[in-house]
Amino acid sequence: MMFNKNNAELILSKSSYPEELKKIAKKVFNNERISFEEGILLYQKAELGFLGVLANYVRENKNGNYVYFNHNFHVEPTNVCVYSCAFCSYSRLIKNKDQGWELSVNEILDIVKKYDNQDVTEVHITGGVVPKQDLKFYTDLFSKIKSYRPNLHIKALTPVEFHYIFKKAKVSYEEGLTLMKEAGLDSLPGGGAEIFNTEIRDKIAGGKCSTDEWLNIHEIWHKMGNHSNATMLYGHIESYEHRIDHMDRLRELQDKTKGFNAFIPLKFRNKDNAMAHINEVSVIEDLRNYAVSRIYLDNFAHIKSYWAMIGRSTAQLSLNFGTDDLDGTIDDTTKIYSMAGSEEKNPKLTTQELVDLIKSAGKIPVQRDTLYNVVKEYTNN
Ligand code: V47
Ligand code: SF4
């Protein structure tokens, strides 16, 4: 059943919610942007039900009752990394390189070939940062994937990798991104954003690309006429103010370029990393966080609930708290989340499983490509 704005407004106006929250609700129902302070207030004072009503309103305005997914697979070229982010369950492997893997271009092509007879539309490529996987490695890889399967969308690498690779190759961001694009890169995933506040970023992800560098690379990529995603790693040592600051910077860039497709909140998972002593936040906090991001990021078309990280049950619940995208079938080539403690040990869902999961939440499943063109709407099957 679709959300009724008039009923919701009436119920909220008669409720005992504080006036300051009712004022925010009114703004949201009038499709007005909420301020930085109002974003923080939502985190501090609004309970889940209240946030759900507002987030649903925004969600349905933008995406009706549709929930998107795609047919994709992930490739992690290496799990060894020159950096050692405290939240990363890979980083210990740098000291213990024999436990790691570093795939060659041909080994990655062999993975791509495994999907020869499957209707996947996207390969998502990202992983650790190592000197050997340099500009030549990736331009070779992308052009070989494109000659082998021209229609496979390559969504690959983050500013963390680009910054390192371009610096090493002594090329500017513009030159490097142009070479990557010419080789076949189609879009950028949202990783490496973590938390933009410098103090927190230095503590959890020190040494890798800075906030300004992350934003700058996405801005240049957008200005070249391309698209990308954005993530936020939440639920560790950041405050609500840091989360709103993070989203505010994204909202500002999106106003400028309109190049982001989706925002993806990533819940910090605490297994086997240097931050394992920090408790994970509750499911309620996950849902509140999805809802606030849906409300705050009024210029983002999609909020993605990444089921491989959050688990399929919470992902399904989140569809009632602002999210409209579940990523994709993924397959089991991604290890980063299972290693970090996600309940999804070998993330792989069949199309039918994804469709059933979406339908039982009362939504309409839509298979999309990376850029949200509709591939198939599942109204009856
Ligand atoms: O930047 C690493 C996160 C990100 C942990 O664009 C962790 O469609 C939680 O960006 N707990 C990479 N998170 C993944 C990513 C992504 C995933 C799915 C779809 C898209 C997209 C992008 O994973 C990293 C980091 O923030 N991460 N370790 C951890 N322990
Ligand atoms: Fe390396 Fe990325 Fe892990 Fe940081 S999060 S240590 S950059 S693989």
PDB file of all heavy atoms in Angstrom, residues 218-243:
ATOM      1  N   HIS A 218      35.971  12.300  -7.465  1.00  0.00           N
ATOM      2  CA  HIS A 218      34.584  12.098  -7.926  1.00  0.00           C
ATOM      3  C   HIS A 218      34.109  13.301  -8.744  1.00  0.00           C
ATOM      4  O   HIS A 218      33.432  13.131  -9.768  1.00  0.00           O
ATOM      5  CB  HIS A 218      33.653  11.837  -6.739  1.00  0.00           C
ATOM      6  CG  HIS A 218      33.716  10.408  -6.289  1.00  0.00           C
ATOM      7  ND1 HIS A 218      32.820   9.440  -6.686  1.00  0.00           N
ATOM      8  CD2 HIS A 218      34.611   9.772  -5.497  1.00  0.00           C
ATOM      9  CE1 HIS A 218      33.153   8.276  -6.158  1.00  0.00           C
ATOM     10  NE2 HIS A 218      34.238   8.450  -5.422  1.00  0.00           N
ATOM     11  N   GLU A 219      34.465  14.506  -8.299  1.00  0.00           N
ATOM     12  CA  GLU A 219      34.027  15.710  -9.027  1.00  0.00           C
ATOM     13  C   GLU A 219      34.590  15.717 -10.455  1.00  0.00           C
ATOM     14  O   GLU A 219      33.866  15.984 -11.424  1.00  0.00           O
ATOM     15  CB  GLU A 219      34.469  16.966  -8.261  1.00  0.00           C
ATOM     16  CG  GLU A 219      34.008  18.233  -8.955  1.00  0.00           C
ATOM     17  CD  GLU A 219      34.150  19.489  -8.090  1.00  0.00           C
ATOM     18  OE1 GLU A 219      34.530  19.383  -6.909  1.00  0.00           O
ATOM     19  OE2 GLU A 219      33.863  20.567  -8.630  1.00  0.00           O
ATOM     20  N   ILE A 220      35.871  15.388 -10.578  1.00  0.00           N
ATOM     21  CA  ILE A 220      36.486  15.373 -11.921  1.00  0.00           C
ATOM     22  C   ILE A 220      35.807  14.314 -12.797  1.00  0.00           C
ATOM     23  O   ILE A 220      35.459  14.546 -13.948  1.00  0.00           O
ATOM     24  CB  ILE A 220      38.007  15.108 -11.806  1.00  0.00           C
ATOM     25  CG1 ILE A 220      38.694  16.294 -11.121  1.00  0.00           C
ATOM     26  CG2 ILE A 220      38.639  14.846 -13.174  1.00  0.00           C
ATOM     27  CD1 ILE A 220      40.116  16.019 -10.670  1.00  0.00           C
ATOM     28  N   TRP A 221      35.583  13.150 -12.199  1.00  0.00           N
ATOM     29  CA  TRP A 221      34.938  12.047 -12.933  1.00  0.00           C
ATOM     30  C   TRP A 221      33.540  12.469 -13.408  1.00  0.00           C
ATOM     31  O   TRP A 221      33.139  12.216 -14.545  1.00  0.00           O
ATOM     32  CB  TRP A 221      34.891  10.817 -12.014  1.00  0.00           C
ATOM     33  CG  TRP A 221      34.260   9.599 -12.613  1.00  0.00           C
ATOM     34  CD1 TRP A 221      33.080   9.029 -12.242  1.00  0.00           C
ATOM     35  CD2 TRP A 221      34.788   8.756 -13.664  1.00  0.00           C
ATOM     36  NE1 TRP A 221      32.826   7.906 -12.996  1.00  0.00           N
ATOM     37  CE2 TRP A 221      33.859   7.720 -13.874  1.00  0.00           C
ATOM     38  CE3 TRP A 221      35.944   8.790 -14.440  1.00  0.00           C
ATOM     39  CZ2 TRP A 221      34.055   6.720 -14.826  1.00  0.00           C
ATOM     40  CZ3 TRP A 221      36.137   7.789 -15.403  1.00  0.00           C
ATOM     41  CH2 TRP A 221      35.200   6.779 -15.580  1.00  0.00           C
ATOM     42  N   HIS A 222      32.789  13.114 -12.517  1.00  0.00           N
ATOM     43  CA  HIS A 222      31.437  13.574 -12.891  1.00  0.00           C
ATOM     44  C   HIS A 222      31.522  14.608 -14.014  1.00  0.00           C
ATOM     45  O   HIS A 222      30.741  14.572 -14.962  1.00  0.00           O
ATOM     46  CB  HIS A 222      30.729  14.220 -11.693  1.00  0.00           C
ATOM     47  CG  HIS A 222      30.406  13.265 -10.576  1.00  0.00           C
ATOM     48  ND1 HIS A 222      29.963  13.672  -9.344  1.00  0.00           N
ATOM     49  CD2 HIS A 222      30.473  11.911 -10.507  1.00  0.00           C
ATOM     50  CE1 HIS A 222      29.776  12.630  -8.564  1.00  0.00           C
ATOM     51  NE2 HIS A 222      30.081  11.544  -9.246  1.00  0.00           N
ATOM     52  N   LYS A 223      32.473  15.518 -13.872  1.00  0.00           N
ATOM     53  CA  LYS A 223      32.574  16.587 -14.883  1.00  0.00           C
ATOM     54  C   LYS A 223      32.982  16.052 -16.247  1.00  0.00           C
ATOM     55  O   LYS A 223      32.808  16.704 -17.265  1.00  0.00           O
ATOM     56  CB  LYS A 223      33.523  17.686 -14.402  1.00  0.00           C
ATOM     57  CG  LYS A 223      32.843  18.524 -13.314  1.00  0.00           C
ATOM     58  CD  LYS A 223      33.695  19.686 -12.861  1.00  0.00           C
ATOM     59  CE  LYS A 223      32.889  20.575 -11.904  1.00  0.00           C
ATOM     60  NZ  LYS A 223      33.765  21.434 -11.082  1.00  0.00           N
ATOM     61  N   MET A 224      33.572  14.839 -16.254  1.00  0.00           N
ATOM     62  CA  MET A 224      33.874  14.193 -17.542  1.00  0.00           C
ATOM     63  C   MET A 224      32.620  13.515 -18.101  1.00  0.00           C
ATOM     64  O   MET A 224      32.674  12.829 -19.118  1.00  0.00           O
ATOM     65  CB  MET A 224      34.968  13.120 -17.325  1.00  0.00           C
ATOM     66  CG  MET A 224      36.369  13.685 -17.087  1.00  0.00           C
ATOM     67  SD  MET A 224      37.516  12.427 -16.395  1.00  0.00           S
ATOM     68  CE  MET A 224      37.538  11.202 -17.673  1.00  0.00           C
ATOM     69  N   GLY A 225      31.496  13.666 -17.396  1.00  0.00           N
ATOM     70  CA  GLY A 225      30.229  13.126 -17.893  1.00  0.00           C
ATOM     71  C   GLY A 225      29.894  11.726 -17.383  1.00  0.00           C
ATOM     72  O   GLY A 225      29.069  11.017 -17.973  1.00  0.00           O
ATOM     73  N   ASN A 226      30.515  11.344 -16.260  1.00  0.00           N
ATOM     74  CA  ASN A 226      30.324   9.971 -15.757  1.00  0.00           C
ATOM     75  C   ASN A 226      29.618   9.933 -14.407  1.00  0.00           C
ATOM     76  O   ASN A 226      29.420  10.976 -13.786  1.00  0.00           O
ATOM     77  CB  ASN A 226      31.689   9.307 -15.595  1.00  0.00           C
ATOM     78  CG  ASN A 226      32.517   9.434 -16.841  1.00  0.00           C
ATOM     79  OD1 ASN A 226      32.112   8.971 -17.903  1.00  0.00           O
ATOM     80  ND2 ASN A 226      33.660  10.104 -16.738  1.00  0.00           N
ATOM     81  N   HIS A 227      29.330   8.704 -13.968  1.00  0.00           N
ATOM     82  CA  HIS A 227      28.609   8.534 -12.696  1.00  0.00           C
ATOM     83  C   HIS A 227      29.415   7.725 -11.689  1.00  0.00           C
ATOM     84  O   HIS A 227      30.339   6.998 -12.048  1.00  0.00           O
ATOM     85  CB  HIS A 227      27.253   7.877 -12.946  1.00  0.00           C
ATOM     86  CG  HIS A 227      26.297   8.805 -13.609  1.00  0.00           C
ATOM     87  ND1 HIS A 227      26.237   8.931 -14.975  1.00  0.00           N
ATOM     88  CD2 HIS A 227      25.416   9.687 -13.093  1.00  0.00           C
ATOM     89  CE1 HIS A 227      25.336   9.843 -15.274  1.00  0.00           C
ATOM     90  NE2 HIS A 227      24.824  10.319 -14.156  1.00  0.00           N
ATOM     91  N   SER A 228      28.988   7.846 -10.433  1.00  0.00           N
ATOM     92  CA  SER A 228      29.654   7.096  -9.360  1.00  0.00           C
ATOM     93  C   SER A 228      28.692   6.952  -8.187  1.00  0.00           C
ATOM     94  O   SER A 228      27.601   7.531  -8.198  1.00  0.00           O
ATOM     95  CB  SER A 228      30.912   7.845  -8.911  1.00  0.00           C
ATOM     96  OG  SER A 228      30.556   9.077  -8.316  1.00  0.00           O
ATOM     97  N   ASN A 229      29.126   6.204  -7.184  1.00  0.00           N
ATOM     98  CA  ASN A 229      28.364   6.068  -5.936  1.00  0.00           C
ATOM     99  C   ASN A 229      29.158   6.670  -4.784  1.00  0.00           C
ATOM    100  O   ASN A 229      30.340   6.998  -4.933  1.00  0.00           O
ATOM    101  CB  ASN A 229      28.111   4.586  -5.628  1.00  0.00           C
ATOM    102  CG  ASN A 229      27.132   3.958  -6.601  1.00  0.00           C
ATOM    103  OD1 ASN A 229      26.292   4.661  -7.170  1.00  0.00           O
ATOM    104  ND2 ASN A 229      27.253   2.665  -6.804  1.00  0.00           N
ATOM    105  N   ALA A 230      28.505   6.751  -3.622  1.00  0.00           N
ATOM    106  CA  ALA A 230      29.198   7.250  -2.421  1.00  0.00           C
ATOM    107  C   ALA A 230      28.786   6.396  -1.226  1.00  0.00           C
ATOM    108  O   ALA A 230      27.616   5.997  -1.128  1.00  0.00           O
ATOM    109  CB  ALA A 230      28.818   8.704  -2.171  1.00  0.00           C
ATOM    110  N   THR A 231      29.755   6.100  -0.357  1.00  0.00           N
ATOM    111  CA  THR A 231      29.447   5.315   0.847  1.00  0.00           C
ATOM    112  C   THR A 231      29.731   6.135   2.098  1.00  0.00           C
ATOM    113  O   THR A 231      30.342   7.203   2.029  1.00  0.00           O
ATOM    114  CB  THR A 231      30.327   4.044   0.923  1.00  0.00           C
ATOM    115  OG1 THR A 231      31.704   4.439   0.890  1.00  0.00           O
ATOM    116  CG2 THR A 231      30.037   3.090  -0.221  1.00  0.00           C
ATOM    117  N   MET A 232      29.313   5.602   3.243  1.00  0.00           N
ATOM    118  CA  MET A 232      29.719   6.168   4.538  1.00  0.00           C
ATOM    119  C   MET A 232      29.847   4.992   5.513  1.00  0.00           C
ATOM    120  O   MET A 232      28.914   4.199   5.662  1.00  0.00           O
ATOM    121  CB  MET A 232      28.655   7.143   5.061  1.00  0.00           C
ATOM    122  CG  MET A 232      28.945   7.635   6.480  1.00  0.00           C
ATOM    123  SD  MET A 232      27.760   8.871   7.059  1.00  0.00           S
ATOM    124  CE  MET A 232      26.343   7.848   7.481  1.00  0.00           C
ATOM    125  N   LEU A 233      30.998   4.879   6.118  1.00  0.00           N
ATOM    126  CA  LEU A 233      31.217   3.830   7.124  1.00  0.00           C
ATOM    127  C   LEU A 233      30.769   4.390   8.479  1.00  0.00           C
ATOM    128  O   LEU A 233      31.339   5.378   8.950  1.00  0.00           O
ATOM    129  CB  LEU A 233      32.705   3.472   7.155  1.00  0.00           C
ATOM    130  CG  LEU A 233      33.105   2.360   8.116  1.00  0.00           C
ATOM    131  CD1 LEU A 233      32.618   1.010   7.602  1.00  0.00           C
ATOM    132  CD2 LEU A 233      34.627   2.317   8.288  1.00  0.00           C
ATOM    133  N   TYR A 234      29.735   3.781   9.074  1.00  0.00           N
ATOM    134  CA  TYR A 234      29.177   4.345  10.308  1.00  0.00           C
ATOM    135  C   TYR A 234      29.172   3.284  11.413  1.00  0.00           C
ATOM    136  O   TYR A 234      29.341   2.083  11.146  1.00  0.00           O
ATOM    137  CB  TYR A 234      27.743   4.856  10.065  1.00  0.00           C
ATOM    138  CG  TYR A 234      26.741   3.732   9.853  1.00  0.00           C
ATOM    139  CD1 TYR A 234      25.996   3.216  10.923  1.00  0.00           C
ATOM    140  CD2 TYR A 234      26.561   3.160   8.596  1.00  0.00           C
ATOM    141  CE1 TYR A 234      25.106   2.168  10.736  1.00  0.00           C
ATOM    142  CE2 TYR A 234      25.673   2.118   8.402  1.00  0.00           C
ATOM    143  CZ  TYR A 234      24.948   1.628   9.475  1.00  0.00           C
ATOM    144  OH  TYR A 234      24.074   0.582   9.298  1.00  0.00           O
ATOM    145  N   GLY A 235      28.970   3.791  12.644  1.00  0.00           N
ATOM    146  CA  GLY A 235      28.814   2.859  13.763  1.00  0.00           C
ATOM    147  C   GLY A 235      30.138   2.446  14.379  1.00  0.00           C
ATOM    148  O   GLY A 235      30.303   1.307  14.809  1.00  0.00           O
ATOM    149  N   HIS A 236      31.091   3.366  14.442  1.00  0.00           N
ATOM    150  CA  HIS A 236      32.382   3.046  15.095  1.00  0.00           C
ATOM    151  C   HIS A 236      32.691   4.143  16.106  1.00  0.00           C
ATOM    152  O   HIS A 236      32.086   4.153  17.183  1.00  0.00           O
ATOM    153  CB  HIS A 236      33.493   2.835  14.044  1.00  0.00           C
ATOM    154  CG  HIS A 236      33.475   3.815  12.909  1.00  0.00           C
ATOM    155  ND1 HIS A 236      34.161   4.994  12.949  1.00  0.00           N
ATOM    156  CD2 HIS A 236      32.808   3.817  11.724  1.00  0.00           C
ATOM    157  CE1 HIS A 236      33.941   5.676  11.833  1.00  0.00           C
ATOM    158  NE2 HIS A 236      33.115   4.989  11.066  1.00  0.00           N
ATOM    159  N   ILE A 237      33.621   5.070  15.772  1.00  0.00           N
ATOM    160  CA  ILE A 237      33.949   6.102  16.757  1.00  0.00           C
ATOM    161  C   ILE A 237      33.432   7.477  16.328  1.00  0.00           C
ATOM    162  O   ILE A 237      33.775   8.487  16.922  1.00  0.00           O
ATOM    163  CB  ILE A 237      35.480   6.185  17.013  1.00  0.00           C
ATOM    164  CG1 ILE A 237      36.228   6.388  15.679  1.00  0.00           C
ATOM    165  CG2 ILE A 237      35.992   4.945  17.727  1.00  0.00           C
ATOM    166  CD1 ILE A 237      37.692   6.798  15.853  1.00  0.00           C
ATOM    167  N   GLU A 238      32.618   7.484  15.269  1.00  0.00           N
ATOM    168  CA  GLU A 238      32.127   8.782  14.784  1.00  0.00           C
ATOM    169  C   GLU A 238      30.903   9.228  15.595  1.00  0.00           C
ATOM    170  O   GLU A 238      30.244   8.411  16.217  1.00  0.00           O
ATOM    171  CB  GLU A 238      31.799   8.693  13.283  1.00  0.00           C
ATOM    172  CG  GLU A 238      30.403   8.239  12.906  1.00  0.00           C
ATOM    173  CD  GLU A 238      30.092   6.792  13.243  1.00  0.00           C
ATOM    174  OE1 GLU A 238      30.964   6.067  13.749  1.00  0.00           O
ATOM    175  OE2 GLU A 238      28.926   6.386  13.014  1.00  0.00           O
ATOM    176  N   SER A 239      30.634  10.536  15.554  1.00  0.00           N
ATOM    177  CA  SER A 239      29.433  11.055  16.222  1.00  0.00           C
ATOM    178  C   SER A 239      28.356  11.317  15.160  1.00  0.00           C
ATOM    179  O   SER A 239      28.634  11.257  13.956  1.00  0.00           O
ATOM    180  CB  SER A 239      29.768  12.366  16.933  1.00  0.00           C
ATOM    181  OG  SER A 239      30.073  13.349  15.948  1.00  0.00           O
ATOM    182  N   TYR A 240      27.149  11.666  15.647  1.00  0.00           N
ATOM    183  CA  TYR A 240      26.077  12.010  14.703  1.00  0.00           C
ATOM    184  C   TYR A 240      26.486  13.218  13.857  1.00  0.00           C
ATOM    185  O   TYR A 240      26.181  13.303  12.674  1.00  0.00           O
ATOM    186  CB  TYR A 240      24.786  12.324  15.450  1.00  0.00           C
ATOM    187  CG  TYR A 240      24.117  11.101  16.037  1.00  0.00           C
ATOM    188  CD1 TYR A 240      23.434  11.161  17.256  1.00  0.00           C
ATOM    189  CD2 TYR A 240      24.146   9.881  15.361  1.00  0.00           C
ATOM    190  CE1 TYR A 240      22.811  10.042  17.784  1.00  0.00           C
ATOM    191  CE2 TYR A 240      23.525   8.758  15.880  1.00  0.00           C
ATOM    192  CZ  TYR A 240      22.861   8.845  17.093  1.00  0.00           C
ATOM    193  OH  TYR A 240      22.244   7.738  17.609  1.00  0.00           O
ATOM    194  N   GLU A 241      27.196  14.146  14.494  1.00  0.00           N
ATOM    195  CA  GLU A 241      27.628  15.338  13.762  1.00  0.00           C
ATOM    196  C   GLU A 241      28.556  14.954  12.595  1.00  0.00           C
ATOM    197  O   GLU A 241      28.468  15.523  11.510  1.00  0.00           O
ATOM    198  CB  GLU A 241      28.335  16.279  14.724  1.00  0.00           C
ATOM    199  CG  GLU A 241      28.529  17.618  14.100  1.00  0.00           C
ATOM    200  CD  GLU A 241      28.986  18.675  15.105  1.00  0.00           C
ATOM    201  OE1 GLU A 241      28.920  18.424  16.320  1.00  0.00           O
ATOM    202  OE2 GLU A 241      29.420  19.732  14.636  1.00  0.00           O
ATOM    203  N   HIS A 242      29.418  13.978  12.851  1.00  0.00           N
ATOM    204  CA  HIS A 242      30.324  13.540  11.777  1.00  0.00           C
ATOM    205  C   HIS A 242      29.539  12.908  10.622  1.00  0.00           C
ATOM    206  O   HIS A 242      29.896  13.069   9.457  1.00  0.00           O
ATOM    207  CB  HIS A 242      31.352  12.532  12.309  1.00  0.00           C
ATOM    208  CG  HIS A 242      32.266  13.112  13.341  1.00  0.00           C
ATOM    209  ND1 HIS A 242      32.661  12.416  14.462  1.00  0.00           N
ATOM    210  CD2 HIS A 242      32.854  14.324  13.429  1.00  0.00           C
ATOM    211  CE1 HIS A 242      33.462  13.185  15.183  1.00  0.00           C
ATOM    212  NE2 HIS A 242      33.589  14.338  14.590  1.00  0.00           N
ATOM    213  N   ARG A 243      28.491  12.164  10.962  1.00  0.00           N
ATOM    214  CA  ARG A 243      27.688  11.552   9.879  1.00  0.00           C
ATOM    215  C   ARG A 243      27.011  12.633   9.040  1.00  0.00           C
ATOM    216  O   ARG A 243      27.007  12.563   7.814  1.00  0.00           O
ATOM    217  CB  ARG A 243      26.612  10.628  10.467  1.00  0.00           C
ATOM    218  CG  ARG A 243      27.166   9.377  11.105  1.00  0.00           C
ATOM    219  CD  ARG A 243      26.043   8.393  11.378  1.00  0.00           C
ATOM    220  NE  ARG A 243      26.349   7.542  12.527  1.00  0.00           N
ATOM    221  CZ  ARG A 243      25.502   6.714  13.094  1.00  0.00           C
ATOM    222  NH1 ARG A 243      24.269   6.605  12.619  1.00  0.00           N
ATOM    223  NH2 ARG A 243      25.851   5.974  14.129  1.00  0.00           N
TER     224      ARG A 243
END
